[in-house]
Amino acid sequence: MDIPRIFNISESAHRIHNPFTADKFATLGAALRLEPETRVLDLGSGSGEMLCTWARDYRINGTGIDMSQLFTKQAKLRAEELGVADQVEFIHDDAAGYVADEKAGVAACVGATWIGGGVAGTIELLAQSLHPGGIILIGEPYWLRSPPTEEIAKGCGAGAISDFLTLPELVASFDGLDYDVVEMVLANQDGWDRYEAAKWLTMRRWLETNPDDDFVKDVRARLTSEPKRYAAYTREYLGWGVFALMAR
């Protein structure tokens, strides 16, 4: 069980596998007014930066689930590095359909809503692990402006324009699911640049140290195309944010 190899390679040096930066996660934690010993479940936890830093800064407890063997290993190392290994645990597993045995005060899926077949399904999944009155966190892309063509949408990594909503439409969609939006923190352009551009040096270094690997052609093709694609499409059209929700 693992994610596609290209992500394990291109994001192997990332601590955060989305357009957030460390200060954005700190802002989000403060905005949620996290109390010590709050239990946080993170589905698609990546390298564990959100749970580990919140455990250090706000003394929460938590569990992260991720399909990447590499990222799960990195999360465990990060917990040890920050001295919070007794507060958080990271499990290598498929987050799709995962329901915690112990209810959480915060249940999050920050950038992996495919685990529930989209936003609505992921909210429904997270709700099964949440205390009454708890908070659900959804990290999701949105259109900064609607792409004029399907080709541009695909250049942004979407299958179609309809895959994402504009920010007003996304916020309104939570209302339609009978949830209150109680907080939101949005990524900025620097966060996008750091998330995307950091992959390029990682891929170049990998190519230099693995010249005989069978995957060289794939990584070379990705490194050649990604800077141009990102500059032309994602950087111009796609936003990203984390939305805090409470059921009505």
Side-chain angles (χ1 to χ4, degrees):
M1 183 193 303
D2 213 330
I3 61 175
R5 191 182 181 196
I6 189 62
F7 299 113
N8 275 326
I9 292 172
S10 64
E11 298 189 29
S12 60
H14 283 52
R15 280 185 174 169
I16 300 172
H17 302 276
N18 59 57
F20 258 20
T21 50
D23 64 302
K24 290 291 184 179
F25 272 127
T27 296
L28 179 61
L32 296 176
R33 308 170 198 173
L34 293 169
E35 297 287 340
E37 298 187 8
T38 297
R39 182 150 198 84
V40 180
L41 173 68
D42 188 8
L43 299 186
S45 51
S47 295
E49 192 71 2
M50 184 179 81
L51 285 182
C52 289
T53 55
W54 284 2
R56 177 196 64 193
D57 297 340
Y58 305 111
R59 291 183 290 153
I60 61 95
N61 300 312
T63 300
I65 311 296
D66 201 272
M67 190 183 287
S68 169
Q69 296 185 47
L70 173 64
F71 298 165
T72 302
K73 179 181 178 181
Q74 290 176 335
K76 293 177 180 179
L77 291 173
R78 185 63 168 155
E80 293 174 2
E81 178 186 3
L82 296 185
V84 296
D86 61 335
Q87 295 169 247
V88 293
E89 65 172 339
F90 294 98
I91 300 170
H92 173 236
D93 201 355
D94 187 353
Y98 185 90
V99 177
D101 294 332
E102 184 177 352
K103 300 292 186 182
V106 176
C109 179
V110 179
T113 56
W114 58 82
I115 68 170
V119 170
T122 301
I123 291 172
E124 184 178 352
L125 172 62
L126 292 170
Q128 297 178 60
S129 298
L130 195 68
H131 280 303
I135 291 175
I136 285 176
L137 297 181
I138 291 289
E140 183 72 1
Y142 59 86
W143 295 123
L144 295 172
R145 61 183 186 277
S146 187
T149 68
E150 294 291 346
E151 180 182 1
I152 289 175
K154 290 177 181 178
C156 295
I161 294 173
S162 59
D163 281 3
F164 304 133
L165 303 172
T166 64
L167 180 59
E169 290 169 341
L170 180 57
V171 170
S173 74
F174 299 128
D175 182 69
L177 296 171
D178 212 22
Y179 278 82
D180 289 321
V181 180
V182 296
E183 258 295 354
M184 73 175 187
V185 178
L186 304 181
N188 58 25
Q189 195 66 74
D190 182 61
W192 268 112
D193 290 347
R194 298 281 34 83
Y195 172 54
E196 293 290 348
K199 300 175 188 178
W200 310 336
L201 181 58
T202 301
M203 288 190 284
R204 177 56 190 263
R205 294 298 189 223
W206 185 91
L207 288 169
E208 292 171 350
T209 56
N210 297 275
D212 299 321
D213 195 286
D214 291 341
F215 208 54
V216 161
K217 288 184 179 179
D218 299 80
V219 176
R220 165 43 63 192
R222 183 66 68 103
L223 176 57
T224 300
S225 64
E226 278 299 283
K228 294 176 286 187
R229 183 201 64 78
Y230 172 64
Y233 299 113
T234 302
R235 201 174 196 274
E236 297 299 314
Y237 288 93
L238 205 59
W240 197 88
V242 178
F243 304 85
L245 314 173
M246 295 182 71
R248 291 176 182 159

